Amino acid sequence: CLWTLAAILQETLKDAPVPRAGFVKKLLAPLDAVLEGFYNAILLHHFDSHHYTSPYSEATNNLISFIDLLEALLASRTELELPLRCQRILFLKASYILNIISSSIPYVIKKKFILLLKKCVLYKSREDAKSGSLFLQTPSLCEDMLALSNAVLQVVNLTWLNQLTLSGKSSYFGSSEAAPGHDSHGCSDQTVLRALSLVVLKALEFKIHNSAAEAEIK
């Protein structure tokens, strides 16, 4: 079901000539509360259990399908002037994802969630993209981005970054092994490192631009 819904959304967003906003709303509005319930139930799960020890387990595959759906929901947000709750949930309850990233879940899941967070901090509404402004103008997106920024900065201010592993098996063209003469031992995943850095920097930037008190900025 998760895969099918994500696939329908993705295909709809590819069909540029047709009016997509009406279809997206018709598809998602009846599922709005259900999808938020899914988000709460799935992401509050105990991810340190034995079901998630393998990146090839059914539980892991189901979670990957859910991440794909979250990504499609984020992409579909541009179609609606007033986004649905299920399109905002990634921002409003980002702490769920941040907790999963620091758990002992397979690295492939952590990486997908980190790259999804990167898409969130870079997200712009259609109006903001057209205006070319450096600062977000859409009220709902400002509210959501502030919630996301607060969640990120709150965990970063603790020991969250120190709990993260960036040593998933490095990928190379043609194989996942290092070329002869290249020692891959101890090297970090540069893609994830860059994405994490960007998430933290964008959260800090947005928080500073939206903080009234000088003490809060400091």
Side-chain angles (χ1 to χ4, degrees), residues 187-203:
C187 72
S188 59
D189 187 330
Q190 297 299 305
T191 302
V192 171
L193 187 59
R194 283 194 298 270
L196 265 176
S197 302
L198 185 63
V199 167
V200 175
L201 286 171
K202 293 296 282 186

Side-chain angles (χ1 to χ4, degrees), residues 90-92 94 98 117 120-121 136 141-157 199-211:
L90 263 173
F91 297 85
L92 300 177
L98 297 169
L117 282 179
C120 287
V121 297
L136 301 178
L141 184 55
C142 284
E143 182 187 333
D144 293 355
M145 203 65 84
L146 190 57
L148 174 62
S149 299
N150 284 335
V152 169
L153 295 176
Q154 191 174 359
V155 294
V156 167
N157 204 33
V199 167
V200 175
L201 286 171
K202 293 296 282 186
L204 194 59
E205 177 190 45
F206 193 81
K207 181 68 176 173
I208 288 171
H209 285 308
N210 290 274
S211 296

Side-chain angles (χ1 to χ4, degrees), residues 13-172:
L13 297 175
K14 286 179 186 174
D15 297 334
V18 299
R20 298 176 296 196
F23 179 80
V24 169
K25 191 168 185 178
K26 190 176 179 181
L27 175 69
L28 295 179
L31 296 171
D32 202 20
V34 176
L35 290 172
E36 183 175 0
F38 267 23
Y39 186 93
N40 295 338
I42 292 174
L43 300 189
L44 274 178
H45 191 70
H46 187 61
F47 288 104
D48 293 324
S49 73
H50 67 279
H51 297 295
Y52 296 93
T53 51
S54 167
Y56 308 106
S57 69
E58 185 181 358
T60 301
N61 283 329
N62 289 341
L63 192 52
I64 288 173
S65 292
F66 189 60
I67 298 171
D68 291 340
L69 176 58
L70 290 175
E71 197 170 324
L73 288 170
L74 176 66
S76 70
R77 180 174 172 148
T78 55
E79 302 304 320
L80 302 183
E81 194 173 330
L82 289 172
L84 297 166
R85 179 81 179 177
C86 64
Q87 295 170 310
R88 302 179 65 192
I89 198 76
L90 263 173
F91 297 85
L92 300 177
K93 295 188 178 180
S95 58
Y96 292 18
I97 289 175
L98 297 169
N99 288 337
I100 293 171
I101 291 171
S102 61
S103 73
S104 59
I105 204 159
Y107 186 75
V108 63
I109 300 287
K110 293 187 183 193
K111 183 168 184 172
K112 283 184 77 72
F113 269 128
I114 290 168
L115 295 178
L116 181 59
L117 282 179
K118 175 188 166 185
K119 288 185 177 182
C120 287
V121 297
L122 293 177
Y123 178 82
K124 281 190 175 182
S125 69
R126 191 165 284 169
E127 292 74 21
D128 288 323
K130 282 179 183 174
S131 72
S133 171
L134 290 176
F135 308 110
L136 301 178
Q137 309 294 325
T138 315
S140 63
L141 184 55
C142 284
E143 182 187 333
D144 293 355
M145 203 65 84
L146 190 57
L148 174 62
S149 299
N150 284 335
V152 169
L153 295 176
Q154 191 174 359
V155 294
V156 167
N157 204 33
L158 301 172
T159 58
W160 185 75
L161 284 173
N162 296 337
Q163 298 169 31
L164 303 187
T165 53
L166 297 175
S167 55
K169 200 170 187 182
S170 301
S171 317
Y172 300 87

